[in-house]
């Protein structure tokens, strides 16, 4: 039986691994695959990690590297040192990493240097923006991965451009969307829903955590003011990422219609994202969910590694200039935002496809 290390470290990883784990468990009787779930501990709060395990039915990790916070280099180094010890004590047959967080890159390097093949779920996507740590993580991970499970034709083309062979690429769809579809019926309003008198399609949902948007008090403050002004008095629900919270503590005036709430568990965030009038975000995953929910999505970035959310879905990149915010909201209020459709293979069966392919290649 082949042993796969499944790596998860930060919040956006958890919804991506859940369907893969479920699929491997469902194929247990074949006696071909088994796994070891490794949590690096990059995210460690209940609100950033534990709640997701519980709501998504992810088993307790076999190993927690408990690396915690640090600079990019400190986190990378700490994960590599700890994961190498695990592998030296007991090697696996394949290291499966997902997404683009620091844990993804650090574990991929560690495994491949010990000649353990690496499979990258969500391989091949590119924003072209090297100021984002995630883009560096994608480039490095893809440069040394052995197999690629991809979400789009765009990702496939990017990999081929740099010489990856067709037989290394498996176009399987999007595991994050598996989770979205599987949990859709279980999504429930957060406890503040009634307190804030929220109603479907009568509020906006905001998420911001990119250094470019949140690290400077003046930038963050100007963004929040413009968004709330453009929302014409409707509530703007803002679950605050810990990185943003640190800066927000020093912002002197908060608009009246900005509802600051803690990072939300998966099922409550999902409920907010499904029922909102529109999402305003600088995240990548949130744009994919908006596309599948058919909800208008304004992205405060100049580039995206997920162009299908713009070309096929409901997402528009308006850049980071606050001057563009008002007109985007006007388009939403006028009811003329594009409708969008769902990208190929985003059908809720990606985890199963991945597990079947792993059975074959191992
Ligand atoms: C990371 C990912 C990013 C992802 C984001 C989602 C990288 C390079 N970035 O960014 O792709 O979109 O997660 O959340 O991997 N913190 C807590 N509690 C936690 C985790 C973090 O308070 O459970 C604090 C840290 O101490 C730090 C800040 O939040 O001050 C940022 O955390 P970090 O893991 O460094 O990166 P993110 O900005 O969360």
């Amino acid at each position: 039986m082949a042993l796969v290390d499944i790596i998860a470290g930060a919040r956006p990883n958890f919804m991506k691994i859940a369907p893969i784990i479920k699929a491997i468990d469902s194929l247990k009787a074949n006696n071909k695959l088994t796994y070891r779930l490794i949590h690096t501990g990059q995210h460690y709060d209940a609100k950033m990690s534990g709640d997701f395990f519980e709501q998504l039915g992810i088993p307790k990790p076999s190993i927690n590297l408990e690396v915690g916070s640090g600079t990019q280099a400190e986190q990378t180094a700490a994960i590599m040192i700890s994961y190498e010890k695990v592998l030296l004590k007991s090697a696996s047959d394949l290291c499966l990493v997902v997404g683009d967080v620091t844990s993804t890159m650090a574990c991929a390097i560690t495994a491949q240097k010990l000649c353990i093949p690496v499979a990258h779920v969500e391989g091949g996507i590119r924003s072209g923006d090297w100021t984002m740590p995630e883009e560096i993580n994608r480039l490095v991970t893809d440069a040394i991965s052995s197999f690629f499970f991809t979400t789009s034709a765009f990702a496939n083309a990017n990999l081929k451009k740099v010489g990856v062979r067709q037989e290394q690429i498996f176009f399987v769809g999007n595991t994050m969307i598996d989770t979205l579809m599987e949990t859709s019926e279980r999504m429930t309003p957060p406890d503040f829903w009634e307190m804030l008198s929220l109603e479907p399609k009568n509020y906006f949902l905001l998420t911001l955590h990119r250094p470019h948007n949140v690290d400077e008090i003046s930038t963050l403050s100007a963004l929040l003011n413009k968004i709330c002004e453009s929302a014409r008095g409707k509530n703007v629900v803002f679950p605050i990422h810990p990185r943003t919270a640190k800066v927000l503590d020093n912002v002197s005036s908060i608009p009246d219609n900005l509802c600051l709430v803690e990072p939300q568990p998966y099922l409550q965030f999902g409920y907010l994202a499904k029922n909102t009038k529109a999402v305003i975000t600088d995240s990548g995953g949130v744009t994919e969910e908006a596309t599948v929910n058919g909800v208008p999505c304004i992205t405060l970035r100049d580039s995206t590694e997920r162009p299908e959310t713009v070309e096929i879905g409901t997402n528009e990149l308006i850049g980071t200039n606050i001057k563009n915010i008002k007109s985007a909201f006007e388009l939403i209020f006028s009811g003329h935002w594009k409708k969008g459709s769902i990208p190929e293979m985003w059908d809720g069966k990606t985890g199963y496809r991945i597990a079947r392919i792993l059975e074959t290649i191992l």
Side-chain angles (χ1 to χ4, degrees):
M1 204 144 56
L3 174 66
V4 179
D5 276 348
I6 297 179
I7 309 293
R11 185 172 60 177
N13 289 162
F14 307 134
M15 44 290 227
K16 293 175 191 168
I17 59 157
I20 303 172
I21 289 176
K22 273 198 191 105
I24 295 179
D25 282 339
S26 78
L27 297 172
K28 227 184 202 157
N30 295 352
N31 270 327
K32 287 186 176 167
L33 279 186
T34 181
Y35 64 87
R36 191 163 66 171
L37 175 55
I38 301 193
H39 192 327
T40 65
Q42 181 181 341
H43 284 179
Y44 43 85
D45 285 354
K47 298 226 172 307
M48 300 297 285
S49 174
D51 289 353
F52 288 76
F53 275 68
E54 200 181 302
Q55 291 194 336
L56 301 179
I58 304 171
K60 208 170 155 317
S62 320
I63 297 167
N64 193 324
L65 306 179
E66 292 180 349
V67 299
S69 298
T71 65
Q72 294 288 319
E74 283 166 350
Q75 278 184 334
T76 306
I79 295 167
M80 289 181 69
I81 292 167
S82 301
Y83 184 43
E84 188 183 50
K85 284 188 185 143
V86 170
L87 290 178
L88 288 175
K89 205 163 149 205
S90 150
S92 58
D93 299 298
L94 180 110
C95 170
L96 182 127
V97 294
V98 299
D100 55 19
V101 302
T102 300
S103 303
T104 308
M105 175 189 72
C107 290
I109 299 174
T110 308
Q112 198 61 273
K113 283 201 170 192
L114 293 173
C115 299
I116 296 168
V118 173
H120 185 197
V121 175
E122 205 186 88
I125 65 176
R126 297 283 182 274
S127 69
D129 178 355
W130 284 29
T131 65
M132 286 173 59
E134 292 79 4
E135 183 70 353
I136 308 300
N137 295 340
R138 290 181 200 114
L139 286 161
V140 173
T141 305
D142 284 348
I144 56 164
S145 286
S146 322
F147 305 105
F148 304 84
F149 292 110
T150 61
T151 50
S152 67
F154 164 75
N156 301 339
N158 286 334
L159 292 170
K160 285 195 195 140
K161 242 188 278 175
V162 294
V164 175
R165 295 187 314 279
Q166 179 62 51
E167 60 268 28
Q168 295 173 277
I169 304 171
F170 302 93
F171 178 27
V172 288
N174 193 326
T175 57
M176 200 169 189
I177 301 307
D178 284 15
T179 298
L180 186 73
M181 290 178 171
E182 197 263 322
T183 55
S184 180
E185 299 294 305
R186 287 196 285 132
M187 286 172 181
T188 44
D191 48 14
F192 55 78
W193 180 266
E194 281 185 10
M195 214 164 65
L196 295 176
S197 306
L198 297 178
E199 287 167 12
K201 308 295 170 201
N202 201 27
Y203 65 92
F204 291 96
L205 178 64
L206 172 67
T207 84
L208 287 178
H209 74 281
R210 298 278 169 221
H212 187 274
N213 287 332
V214 306
D215 281 1
E216 285 291 327
I217 298 177
S218 56
T219 312
L220 179 62
S221 176
L223 276 174
L224 294 177
N225 282 318
K226 192 44 125 187
I227 290 166
C228 289
E229 181 194 309
S230 307
R232 303 184 185 172
K234 290 195 188 300
N235 283 319
V236 177
V237 179
F238 185 22
I240 317 162
H241 185 280
R243 179 184 195 105
T244 315
K246 285 182 193 159
V247 185
L248 208 58
D249 281 346
N250 299 310
V251 171
S252 50
S253 82
I254 302 285
D256 286 346
N257 56 333
L258 185 65
C259 310
L260 301 174
V261 297
E262 299 211 296
Q264 291 299 296
Y266 185 81
L267 298 176
Q268 283 67 40
F269 185 84
Y271 189 90
L272 290 168
K274 200 161 66 164
N275 288 294
T276 183
K277 190 166 181 65
V279 182
I280 304 99
T281 190
D282 60 7
S283 152
V286 171
T287 68
E288 297 182 332
E289 291 166 346
T291 279
V292 172
N293 286 328
V295 164
C297 180
I298 303 175
T299 295
L300 300 172
R301 285 174 51 188
D302 294 312
S303 61
T304 177
E305 60 290 339
R306 295 162 163 92
E308 63 279 9
T309 62
V310 177
E311 287 160 18
I312 303 171
T314 54
N315 185 22
E316 282 294 355
L317 299 184
I318 67 159
T320 50
N321 188 333
I322 63 163
K323 285 197 186 116
N324 302 332
I325 293 175
K326 190 161 179 254
S327 54
F329 272 84
E330 277 167 359
L331 199 60
I332 287 165
F333 278 115
S334 74
H336 290 119
W337 196 267
K338 63 182 175 184
K339 298 283 175 263
S341 55
I342 298 179
E344 193 185 348
M345 298 272 230
W346 293 18
D347 59 0
K349 297 177 186 142
T350 301
Y352 187 72
R353 286 187 199 107
I354 292 174
R356 291 309 299 256
I357 294 165
L358 288 175
E359 282 190 338
T360 320
I361 58 183
L362 289 171

